Structures are given as C-alpha cells and as structure tokens.
Amino acid sequence: MANNYRERPVALGELRGAVDELISNALPLGCYASQRTVRTIFLSQTGPLGLRTVLGEGEKWESLARRYPFFSYHEREMQALQGIDVQSSPDERPLYFSSDAIPEAIVAEGKGISGVVVGPVHAGIIEPGRFTISTGGESVVHIDAQLSYSHRALEPWFEGQEALALAPRVARICGNCSVARSWGYARAIEELAGVDLDDGTEFARLVLAEMERVHVHLFDIGSIAAGAGYDRGTTAALGLRERICQLNHLVSGHRLLFDSVVPGGVKAGILADPEIIRTTLRELRDDVARFCDALLAKRSLLRRLEGAGVVERSLAQRFAAVGPSGRASGIACDIRAIAPYGAYRGFAFSEELAGGGDVYARAELRVREIARSFDFLERGLRELEGRRLPTPRQVEVAAGVITTVVEGARGAESISLALSATGRIERLHVISAAYRNWPLVTRAMEGNIVPDFPLVNKSFNLCYSCVDR
Amino acid sequence: MSQGKFAHSLGIRHLVCGSCNGCELEMNALAAPQYDVSQEGWGIVASPRHADVITVTGPMSDAMRHAAQLTVEAVSEPFVVVAVGDCASGDGVWCEAGSAGPGAGRELEASIFVRGCPPSPDALREGLRAAATLLDGRKS
Ligand code: SF4
C-alpha cells in the first residue's frame, strides 16, 4: 500500500485558523511533538493529514484545548515529555508524575459539597487510577480522574530501537487492543516501505481483528453487568469470552492473539484450518445472541442501565469521541467505515449507531457490533478456505513519517511513526481510543449518583495501559 | 495440592504496577465458569486488610511504587505476594523501559512467580494454590 498520509507545514500563527477550518469535517486525532516539531493530526476524507508546525527557540505553543478541550491530554503530554511550553492551557498539571509528586486533584467547592477519593488501588482486577469525586448529597458534581499510574515512559525508550524488532513490544502496549495496534504499526512500516500484501493476509488480519473485537466486547458487556450488580450476567459473558480465548489459542497459539499480526504479514502457521474455526464460531454466535437477548430483556437490569451516564451528542462531538462510546451518542466514527483499510475496503459496511448516549446505548450498541463482527468473521474465513497463507514478507524498512489509524474494539487507534534510513525508530507515538475518550467518562458522571460510578465507568471500560504508556 | 484451611479461603488483593492489562484479562478469566475459583472459596477482597494474597503485575511503574508499598504494608501476617506474569517476574518486555522498575514482584519480594505473557488461567490457579500451601505452612 502506498502511504496515504499527507502533511503540510503550517506556521504557528496560522494553526488556529487551519484547525478551525478542518475540525468541522475531519476527525481530530490529536497533536504530538518530536523535539520542536508539533504535528496536529486529522483523519480527513482522503486519509490522515498532519499539520506540521516547527517551534523556534523559545517559541511557545498556544493551547488549542482552550477552544477544543479534546486536545488537553495531548498538550499536557507534549509539555511533560518533550518540554513544549504550552500557553494558556485550561489544565496545567503535568500528565505524568512519579510517586513523590502526584498532582493535586481539581475539586468542586461550595456549600454542602464533600469529597470522596478512590484509588489508585481498587477492589477488583482493574488498572490503577485515582478518582476524586466531589459530591452534593448523593449526586456527583465533578470527578477528577488522575491516570498515568502505569506510565513507563515507553515512547522515549522506543527511540533508537529497531522498528522490526519492536513489534512484540508494540503488541504489548495494551492487552485489550493488541491486534489493532499491531495492525496499525505493521501498516505504518509497510506503507512507508510501499509493500503490498496478498489478499489472504489481509483477510487473515481482518479475522484476527474481529476476534479481538468479539472478546473485548463480551468482556465489556460482562463488566456492565458487574457494574449493575448482576453477577450472573458477568459470569455468563466471561464464559462466552473464554470460549473465544480458547479459539484464539487454537488459531494463533496465544489466548489474546498477541504477535499474530507482524510487519510483512501474519504470524506463520496461523488460522490453519478456517473451516473448524467457522464451525466453532457459528455455535458461539448462537450462544452469544441468546445470552445478549436475555440480558437486554431483563427489566431489573434495564432500570439500572437506562438513563445512567448520559453523554449528549454535542458533548461527544466536543471531545471527538470514538469507538462504541462515540457511536452510542450518534457520532459516526468507525474507521472501518469512514477510512476503510486492508480487507475492509472490499466490504460494503455501514457502521452501527445509537442515539441515547446512556449506559444502555453503549451496551446495546456493542451487542449489535458483535453480530456484525460475526458477519465479518464468516465472510473473512470463507475467503481463507483453500488458501495457504504465506509466511510474513521480508520488509525493507524505509525512512519517513506517517500516521495510520485502525478501528480497535474501543475505537480509533492511531500510530504515528518516524523511521530513520537505518530502520530505527526516530519517534513512535501511540494514541489510543481510551486516551481520546477518558475525559468523557468523568463528564458522563456529572449529576449521576455516586453508586453508579462503577456502572458508568464500566460502560466505557477504557484501558489505562495504552493511555499511560 | 494444599489441603489446609487457606486452600478453601483465599482473599486476594490485586495490584497493577505498569501492566499491559493482559495479565488482568487472564486474572478476570478465573471468574469464568470454566475455572470459577469462587467455588474454591477464593475471591477479590475490598481492602488489603482482608487479604491473604497480594497478586502483582507489571514491571513497577515509578508512579505506582509508593501506593504499592503502602498496600503491602497494610496486609497483616501471614500473607504471600504472588508475581503474576513475566513483567512482574523481572524479565518482561517493559522491565528496561524509562520509568519502570525491574519487576514489581521482585521489588515487593514475591515468594511465587507465575510465568507467562500473560500466564494462562490454569497457571494462575496453580500459582494461587501454591500460595495457599505456603500460607498453611506459615500460619501461627
Ligand atoms: S507479562 Fe505480558 S501480559 Fe502481563 S503485563 Fe507484562 S506484557 Fe502484559
């Protein structure tokens, strides 16, 4: 595939105007710095577009987040890691910290307001985050989410490493979006090198990505049931998900499909018997459908889900929401539909949307998306029958700068990569769907009762590891 | 296999110290009907004060170090720290990263190391059984 990432230079003084112009018809993907060069990235109709702004010595970045709050994390990151001086930022706290300098939470003040702090360690098997909840009576007035407890300074450490050898690490930036991220990374290297892949490999990648989506969506639906206190639903969802994990192991040798997509192709020997996989998936599909129908017919459960954690469409738009959480608020943001890649190009695909923006909408949308994934799997596996998948191609790594975007289970996953002529990483910047959606979780809670926090939080079920890196 | 009291009553507090969440997915799988460790009397507890076992994942991120130490200090004897996964055991993919330590299990003096990236639910169950055996030996 040719590299369809484009970039154009935009002087600092003209950047605001350029962003104003683009934002109404392109999906903003964020901004990031490589030394003193900042790229503001959009997904336009013709593919990813970067606005390249070079900051002179002593020049300061004028905060975009003041007008477009979506950029807040991105700007706080480049201030913390690349030392870019961000002017008039709405939130000046460093995005990353060490144990001895944890930023103070922002809390609401006023008569009758009190506070609760939970985390970073939680009473569950969940990643670390500190939530400072300001309450008025039982209602939440404001939540401050302090993430970054899993920050390992991965991106600076990646610099100078060999791009091809880094693939297993990229697959482990986050366990929930491993296939999607590996695919985005492989595409970045392949598109820079001008490598074309055979159809079989592209279908195999699609199948692997959809298997990941099904196991993550099932996990998320189970988590919503847990948040509502319906343990039986959680156990059943985990049981169905386990069957996918066992199938993952059978087809790839790894229960979470790590390392199944690699630069130049897919892992050798993978998906060797598409017929068996199809049969297993058909049985699973019926059981999943039965389970989901029963779950969403449960009135006592629905009473918890409906009207909880509403994200209005306008709010979702302001924060450029992605993934099921964006689509549940009516935002068209499925990368498989708006910027199809790989084998998705051959499918007529219109994305699933909902309007309610509440926990119910986020649950019900995932149920529909699982059904669509099974359709993809059926068709993708049929394409694979009788084909022998080639072993991964040798890729001659080429220098350049690129951004790729794929649709992971939780939304748009982007990889921004700069490679040297010797095949080493000059810059690798990973922005996940979770990074984009976190600010929504806290806003969705405003006006809700405190005990609904686990429920609303789980209806997004965002990862931390790919946010913190 | 342990036949002592802890074999059927294990309170687990889980600590995530820079994990990729893959280990967490497999820890969560233990609640699926295929494994259902709650039937063995094992469960995640709401406070470190209730815990017999601390399971820990990740290389140890700088930001988590203090909270992790406080958590372990809050547990009363006897208890066992179980390192879950290669990162926590000291040779995972992140153990040399910028602000990561040499394995959270090493820093927190784990007695049991469950290997894998991530370990399978079966391996995790074995690791927790081994923890119960150790506890039965240690209890006063
Ligand atoms: S051991 Fe593997 S699965 Fe576990 S946290 Fe480390 S990278 Fe993730």
Side-chain angles (χ1 to χ4, degrees):
Chain A
M1 256 316 282
N3 176 1
N4 74 339
Y5 168 74
R6 297 280 168 269
E7 66 177 38
R8 61 178 151 98
V10 176
L12 188 58
E14 280 144 31
L15 186 66
R16 244 306 286 287
V19 171
D20 287 345
E21 207 172 289
L22 273 165
I23 211 145
S24 51
N25 52 17
L27 181 71
L29 294 174
C31 57
Y32 74 99
S34 311
Q35 292 165 344
R36 304 283 300 162
T37 301
V38 180
R39 289 181 172 85
T40 310
I41 313 281
F42 288 86
L43 183 59
S44 72
Q45 257 116 33
T46 56
L49 170 72
L51 308 180
R52 189 181 63 240
T53 306
V54 181
L55 298 179
E57 214 36 64
E59 235 178 342
K60 293 175 176 159
W61 176 261
E62 194 62 37
S63 172
L64 294 169
R66 195 151 275 285
R67 183 164 162 81
Y68 302 111
F70 160 79
F71 285 103
S72 180
Y73 274 25
H74 303 258
E75 290 180 343
R76 288 171 66 194
E77 174 167 345
M78 61 190 200
Q79 173 144 8
L81 294 185
Q82 282 80 34
I84 302 291
D85 203 339
V86 180
Q87 285 280 83
S88 47
S89 166
D91 187 345
E92 289 175 348
R93 297 174 298 169
L95 196 57
Y96 307 110
F97 59 89
S98 62
S99 269
D100 48 16
I102 306 175
E104 268 193 43
I106 294 173
V107 293
E109 283 174 1
K111 197 161 169 270
I113 300 232
S114 52
V116 193
V117 185
V118 288
V121 184
H122 299 275
I125 308 170
I126 36 181
E127 295 177 89
R130 182 195 69 187
F131 299 97
T132 306
I133 310 173
S134 304
T135 61
E138 270 225 275
S139 294
V140 170
V141 176
H142 179 263
I143 295 190
D144 180 273
Q146 178 63 62
L147 309 181
S148 301
Y149 283 91
S150 280
H151 181 58
R152 288 141 289 167
L154 300 186
E155 291 187 4
W157 180 62
F158 289 154
E159 288 166 21
Q161 297 197 38
E162 276 196 41
L164 294 176
L166 195 65
R169 288 185 168 145
V170 172
R172 285 163 180 77
I173 290 172
C174 181
N176 290 299
C177 24
S178 175
V179 176
R181 181 151 303 106
S182 292
W183 194 353
Y185 184 66
R187 275 181 64 206
I189 292 176
E190 290 155 7
E191 290 180 22
L192 282 176
V195 168
D196 274 316
L197 298 175
D198 59 289
D199 291 349
T201 298
E202 293 287 16
F203 279 116
R205 285 183 171 181
L206 175 143
V207 165
L208 295 162
E210 294 303 327
M211 286 177 77
E212 178 173 76
R213 192 175 330 277
V214 173
H215 90 70
V216 174
H217 274 16
L218 279 170
F219 186 75
D220 292 353
I221 288 169
S223 301
I224 291 173
Y230 182 50
D231 289 350
R232 212 177 134 190
T234 311
T235 311
L238 286 174
L240 292 164
R241 174 183 173 271
E242 174 63 21
R243 284 162 64 186
I244 291 270
C245 291
Q246 290 176 5
L247 187 62
N248 289 346
H249 188 259
L250 183 80
V251 307
S252 77
H254 196 285
R255 286 168 46 88
L256 305 174
L257 301 168
F258 288 7
D259 307 318
S260 57
V261 172
V262 295
V266 289
K267 182 177 171 179
I270 216 166
L271 295 165
D273 199 338
E275 180 60 43
I276 292 186
I277 309 168
R278 266 173 76 199
T279 316
T280 314
L281 282 174
R282 261 189 239 126
E283 281 166 24
L284 192 59
R285 176 178 199 155
D286 290 342
D287 293 346
V288 168
R290 246 192 308 277
F291 160 71
C292 291
D293 287 350
L295 188 80
L296 293 185
K298 206 150 193 62
R299 297 185 63 93
S300 57
L301 183 72
L302 294 185
R303 274 200 285 273
R304 291 292 312 278
L305 271 46
E306 285 167 353
V310 175
V311 175
E312 302 284 355
R313 189 170 196 281
S314 55
L315 183 71
Q317 198 130 41
R318 252 161 68 82
F319 282 93
V322 294
S325 309
R327 296 191 281 281
S329 295
I331 305 284
C333 55
D334 193 323
I335 308 302
R336 295 172 297 171
I338 61 180
Y341 48 96
Y344 291 114
R345 285 203 201 89
F347 287 85
F349 175 65
S350 59
E351 62 189 285
E352 299 292 332
L353 290 171
D358 57 355
V359 173
Y360 174 78
R362 288 186 284 276
E364 192 269 342
L365 188 100
R366 285 190 180 89
V367 169
R368 276 190 275 145
E369 289 200 348
I370 290 177
R372 298 302 291 272
S373 288
F374 278 117
D375 292 342
F376 274 124
L377 285 165
E378 173 73 24
R379 286 178 58 187
L381 286 163
R382 227 184 300 139
E383 292 284 347
L384 287 182
E385 260 163 49
R387 272 188 221 254
R388 259 184 73 93
L389 286 173
T391 51
R393 287 184 53 161
Q394 206 65 32
V395 181
E396 286 292 332
V397 178
V401 176
I402 190 170
T403 289
T404 60
V405 199
V406 302
E407 182 71 20
R410 286 166 185 166
E413 304 290 346
S414 64
I415 293 275
S416 295
L417 180 66
L419 287 181
S420 74
T422 56
R424 290 183 185 270
I425 305 281
E426 279 175 355
R427 181 83 170 90
L428 171 56
H429 181 57
V430 175
I431 289 301
S432 67
Y435 188 97
R436 301 186 165 95
N437 281 351
W438 259 111
L440 279 180
V441 178
T442 55
R443 279 159 186 88
M445 267 310 290
E446 288 169 11
N448 285 246
I449 56 170
V450 179
D452 270 355
F453 182 50
L455 175 66
V456 172
N457 190 14
K458 291 290 155 189
S459 72
F460 293 88
N461 224 14
L462 302 177
C463 353
Y464 299 62
S465 182
C466 48
V467 177
D468 298 348
R469 291 157 290 140
Chain B
M1 199 213 290
S2 170
Q3 291 303 323
K5 284 184 184 152
F6 281 101
H8 305 292
S9 167
L10 215 48
I12 302 162
R13 182 76 167 172
H14 187 64
L15 262 179
V16 186
C17 303
S19 144
C20 81
N21 207 26
C23 284
E24 280 59 42
L25 287 171
E26 293 298 44
M27 286 284 292
N28 274 300
L30 289 175
Q34 290 89 337
Y35 309 98
D36 198 3
V37 298
S38 69
Q39 291 192 27
E40 313 202 26
W42 302 354
I44 298 292
V45 291
S47 157
R49 301 255 187 242
H50 306 162
D52 307 305
V53 167
I54 299 279
T55 48
V56 60
T57 58
M60 181 58 83
S61 48
D62 285 352
M64 264 309 283
R65 186 165 285 118
H66 186 57
Q69 279 157 355
L70 289 180
T71 300
V72 174
E73 279 164 24
V75 187
S76 50
E77 293 281 352
F79 72 94
V80 167
V81 177
V82 176
V84 167
D86 290 346
C87 285
S89 300
D91 57 4
V93 290
W94 304 132
C95 291
E96 286 159 24
S99 61
R106 302 215 168 266
E107 285 200 19
L108 300 175
E109 296 175 13
S111 322
I112 292 168
F113 295 84
V114 185
R115 305 309 301 261
C117 179
S120 66
D122 284 327
L124 288 169
R125 190 162 51 184
E126 282 316 305
L128 289 168
R129 279 200 183 123
T133 307
L134 262 186
L135 281 165
D136 280 321
R138 276 186 203 171
K139 82 183 163 220
S140 42

